[in-house]
Amino acid sequence: APDNLDLILSNPPFHTGVHTHYQTSENLLQKSAKHLKKGGELRLVANNFLRYQPLIEAALGNCQLRIEAQGFRIYQATRS
């Protein structure tokens, strides 16, 4: 992925076939700061049972839950 992005917008996969597999999502979150420019934003749509907020906070230092409805959450974080 390119560096110096303004925005990463994703609903990352967490399945490999019928099996749950979180590595792709975890990699995306762990590397997000490297690819976002300062002030760049991450927005993530995820099932509400997935615990992405601590991973986002570890990568970017901040994370807000923008909305939770119908089994999903939208997270927002900004690279400082």
Side-chain angles (χ1 to χ4, degrees):
D3 293 340
N4 211 30
L5 295 171
D6 291 313
L7 175 69
I8 297 173
L9 178 63
S10 182
N11 179 355
F14 65 94
H15 290 112
T16 300
V18 296
H19 302 286
T20 302
H21 184 74
Y22 301 104
Q23 193 60 51
T24 301
S25 300
E26 290 175 5
N27 286 343
L28 168 70
L29 298 176
Q30 290 167 354
K31 296 178 181 181
S32 61
K34 176 184 179 234
H35 295 282
L36 287 168
K37 69 180 183 180
K38 188 173 183 173
E41 186 176 310
L42 169 72
R43 289 217 179 186
L44 189 79
V45 177
N47 294 70
N48 63 2
F49 66 87
L50 297 168
R51 301 294 174 227
Y52 287 145
Q53 189 161 354
L55 295 171
I56 296 169
E57 289 172 345
L60 296 170
N62 69 82
C63 180
Q64 296 178 341
L65 176 60
R66 301 301 296 176
I67 191 166
E68 182 172 0
Q70 299 178 347
F72 292 93
R73 292 179 178 164
I74 297 178
Y75 297 102
Q76 176 185 9
T78 304
R79 181 176 176 236
S80 49

